[in-house]
Structure formats: structure tokens, C-alpha cells
Amino acid sequence: MLKEFESNILKTDLFNKKHNLLVAVSGGIDSIVLTHLLKNSGFKFSIAHCNFQLRGKESLADEKFCKDLAKKIKIPFYTKAFDTEAYCTKHKTNVQLAARKLRYDWFHELIIEKQFDYVLTAHHANDVIETVFINLLRGTGIKGIKGISEKKGQIIRPLLNFTREQIDAFAKKHTIDFRLDKSNLEDKYERNFIRLNIIPLFKKINPKLEETFIRNTANFRQEAGIVHDYLEEKTTELITQTHDAVFINKKKLKHETYSRSVLHNLISGYGFNDTQQKNILSNLGKDAQSGKIFKSPTHQLIIDRNDLVIKSLSEETFNDKLIASYDELIKQKLFSCKKLAAFKLPKPNELLLDESKLQFPLSIRLKRTGDKFKPFGMKGFKLLSDFLKDEKLSIPKKESCKVLVNGNGDIIWVIGHRSDERYRVNSNKKNILKLKLIE
């Protein structure tokens, strides 16, 4: 398994020995095996352990186990305790979604603070199968059946080609200790139910289910990419927009072979549901009356003579803002601005700035065609349109994307999404400004 692990990393160029890696380790068999594989392969990495405080003494024992392992193999160790139940109550969400949000926000903080290149998680082939089943049940279409990506941004999953059986065999062969989370043996959670009850039935039909899914999801990912590129092309072809409205060409949409999928891609991000989408399509015929209006919670769509016209239900529109001084920067209402006495790790919706690098007048404006910047953590420039595409933002969020621009023309901040690498702040720097998006 070790040779196959190293070979796959080299073949797919996932990462190399120059990279500074952060590995998410729960104490369970999957992440512990990943830790041993990385150590035996000579990669540079640190361990991050999340204590979600959901299992009392067991959670504390998991944390101690991971800390002891890090000490034994001489690897830097980071841990953080979360009040997961309080987060669930406050944000009205379930434990699984809360834990995911909390851990990935913390990983993002560590990436910035410690300058890690990638975060590695121990998802494997069986996780792919479970994810596909869950997505099929939820009706997510081709995006859902492509499974889990091996590499997405700074998140890498280097064990996707390995099955749970292979991981178990490796741990047994090398007498690797790990922690057992007893909650994984309960089928009250959706994923556990599928793992414990559904998949064993399918394996009776196809004993090589994991191999089949690995092969199929690789094909699905390519096909999903083709579909995505096609829909993006149709978006460019069908849509024109002004500062306050989006226009979808009725004639072109009507004659589009895959009109239903194209329309869904164009307007679902504005909150229009499946029933409304079907009704909109049925109102594209020759005899359909102009002026029919459909409303979502945030937008309205008007069937005009030549176009489908989408407008925000809010009358407010964003106009470019010129900021001539620090006082004006403080007074604007898109984000708060204050000076810090010392470096403090920013959250995902915050930006730290070296005040001496600002060149007034600054400007806050909507994105423009041809905008490019150097995304934080990257060495080269990237078109803003490509960055937003990679972020998988909905059309409305792409359209409303705003940037903070320095007086020299540099994009300092894709507001709420990513800062520019050229404006990275050193932790020992003074005169730091903290900008925080007001949401």
C-alpha cells in the first residue's frame, strides 16, 4: 500500500516533499493510517485534531491519543475544542454540518497563520460510495454522482483509491493503534445507515463494488466537467446584464436542446424552484403572454417580449465607491475597518492589511471583465472570472461580487472570498488594519 500511495501522489502531482502539509487526524483508523503513510514516505506535515466535545471522556481520550502520537513521531500538533452543540442551536443546523463548518473554518485559519500549502483528509473509496448514495437520495444530479474530488483548492484526499479493507489490512500488518469511535457503529445517522445496511447488500451483488465506483466516479467527474463547461458556455451565450437586471434571451433558450437544464443553471441561484422553472419554460411558446411575473424570496423574473428579465426584489443597487481617505474608509458600510494593536488571525470574512501599502484613493466596485489578481497562497495571477468559477459560486453571487482596489489598480481583496498574495501581512507587522465584511 505504501508504494501505491507514493506512486499515486507522484503520478497525479497531488503534492511533493517541498510542500508544508496539514493532516486532519481524528484518531480513527483512516487518519492514523494516512499519518503513518506520510511519515514513512518522508513528507513534511503537521497534525490538526478537532475536539467537537460530543462524546465526553471519549473525546478527551481521542485528543490525548493524537497528541501522544504526534509527540512520538516528532510531528507538530494543533488542536482546538469546539462547542458543537451550542453552534448547532445558534445556527439551527445538525451535528454533521456544524462539525464540517467548524473544522474547515479552523483549517483555513491554520493555513493562513502557519502558511500550510494543503490540508489532507483521510477520505477513502468507501466514503465515495456513501457520498454517491446520499446524493442520489437527495436528487443532486450529475454533480452528486461524481463523488468526492481528490483535490479541490487546498483540500487533498490522497486515500480515495484505497478501500476500507486495504486500510484495515495495512493497520493490522503494521500493528498500528487507533481509536474506535463507537458512534460509527450506530445507524441513526444517514451515512452510517447506508454504510451499515445498504452497501453490504450491494456487495452481495457486486463484491468489487469499491473498484466499480472508483472507475465510475472518475468517469462521472470528467462528464460533470463537460456539462459544467457546456452550461458556462450557454450562460455567456444567453445572458446579458446591466447594473440592475439580468436578461436571458427567450428565442435562444426556446431553441436550446437542453433548455430545462440550461434554465435551471441560469436561474436556480436566484431562488426559483423546480415548479417555477417548469412554468417559466411552458411560457416561452409563441402564444405565451408577455408580462407574466414569477417571484422567488429574493428576485422576480418577468417574461418580456424578447427576454426573461431578472431583477432583485430590493430596490437598492450597488454603485462604485471612491474612497479618498482613511476616514472615508471607516465610514463606508460594506465592511468595518479598525486598527489592530497586534496581529490577530483573520476569519474567512476578514482581511488584514498593512496600512502603509494603501494608496488612496481606493475604490470598491463590482467585478469587471478582465479583472485579475494573485489569490492568497498562489504564486501566479488568475483571472477573477476563473477564480469565481473555481469557487463554484452561483450566478447571482458571481454578479454581485465586489472588489477592493488600491490606488495603483491592484485588487487587494475579492471581498468576502480571497485576499491578494501581494498584500499578505507578516505576523510581526505593526500598523495593521482589519476589514470585516458586514453580512
Side-chain angles (χ1 to χ4, degrees), residues 7-23:
S7 174
N8 183 61
I9 291 170
L10 182 63
K11 181 175 64 177
T12 55
D13 195 27
L14 287 179
F15 49 85
N16 58 54
K17 293 182 179 178
K18 293 181 180 179
H19 288 133
N20 188 19
L21 308 173
L22 180 67
V23 185

Side-chain angles (χ1 to χ4, degrees), residues 148-391:
I148 304 172
S149 299
E150 196 170 31
K151 186 174 186 178
K152 184 177 181 181
Q154 290 177 283
I155 307 298
I156 296 179
R157 304 171 179 96
L159 295 184
L160 289 188
N161 287 334
F162 300 98
T163 66
R164 181 172 286 113
E165 286 77 9
Q166 287 174 297
I167 292 170
D168 289 345
F170 183 87
K172 185 176 181 180
K173 179 180 179 181
H174 297 277
T175 59
I176 294 173
D177 291 329
F178 57 90
R179 295 280 298 169
L180 179 63
D181 183 350
K182 293 179 181 178
S183 67
N184 288 332
L185 303 177
E186 303 172 2
D187 63 5
K188 64 179 181 179
Y189 297 121
E190 184 179 44
R191 183 175 290 274
N192 286 4
F193 185 88
I194 290 172
R195 176 188 304 145
L196 299 172
N197 301 296
I198 305 300
I199 292 177
L201 296 177
F202 277 89
K203 289 201 72 170
K204 288 182 180 180
I205 301 171
N206 180 3
K208 295 185 177 181
L209 188 67
E210 293 90 351
E211 294 178 24
T212 302
F213 266 75
I214 290 172
R215 185 171 60 253
N216 284 343
T217 52
N219 293 334
F220 292 152
R221 278 194 288 274
Q222 285 206 1
E223 290 162 7
I226 294 170
V227 171
H228 181 267
D229 290 345
Y230 179 85
L231 293 174
E232 286 292 309
E233 180 182 327
K234 289 299 174 181
T235 298
T236 303
E237 182 181 325
L238 294 173
I239 278 186
T240 56
Q241 63 185 81
T242 63
H243 70 284
D244 64 347
V246 174
F247 299 84
I248 302 173
N249 189 294
K250 278 174 60 177
K251 184 177 179 180
K252 290 181 179 179
L253 178 60
K254 180 184 174 183
H255 291 95
E256 166 57 43
T257 305
Y258 309 106
S259 58
R260 183 175 176 180
S261 294
V262 170
L263 181 67
H264 174 79
N265 184 66
L266 293 176
I267 72 172
S268 60
Y270 295 101
F272 295 101
N273 60 42
D274 288 342
T275 301
Q276 289 175 312
Q277 292 172 36
K278 290 177 184 177
N279 291 334
I280 291 167
L281 276 177
S282 67
N283 276 274
L284 295 182
K286 185 185 298 184
D287 299 326
Q289 290 185 343
S290 297
K292 192 169 180 61
I293 298 175
F294 296 85
K295 289 187 177 181
S296 76
T298 57
H299 290 78
Q300 69 175 10
L301 183 149
I302 304 168
I303 298 183
D304 204 356
R305 184 169 60 180
N306 298 315
D307 301 284
L308 306 180
V309 183
I310 301 174
K311 291 187 175 183
S312 172
L313 290 176
S314 170
E315 294 182 357
E316 295 182 6
T317 58
F318 184 82
N319 296 314
D320 294 354
K321 302 179 187 297
L322 199 64
I323 301 172
S325 65
Y326 177 73
D327 287 340
E328 289 186 18
L329 183 64
I330 294 176
K331 291 177 182 178
Q332 58 76 40
K333 297 179 180 180
L334 184 60
F335 47 79
S336 62
C337 177
K338 68 176 183 179
K339 294 184 179 182
L340 298 181
F343 180 90
K344 186 177 180 181
L345 192 67
K347 296 179 180 178
N349 63 342
E350 297 176 344
L351 169 72
L352 298 188
L353 268 178
D354 179 349
E355 187 177 0
S356 67
K357 289 187 176 182
L358 293 182
Q359 298 180 32
F360 291 97
L362 309 177
S363 62
I364 302 172
R365 61 168 174 79
L366 292 170
K367 69 177 182 66
R368 295 174 183 168
T369 302
D371 275 342
K372 64 180 181 179
F373 75 121
K374 188 178 285 189
F376 188 94
M378 291 183 62
K379 295 181 179 179
F381 283 90
K382 191 165 193 173
L383 283 171
L384 178 54
S385 57
D386 289 340
F387 169 77
L388 297 176
K389 179 179 176 181
D390 292 343
E391 291 292 295

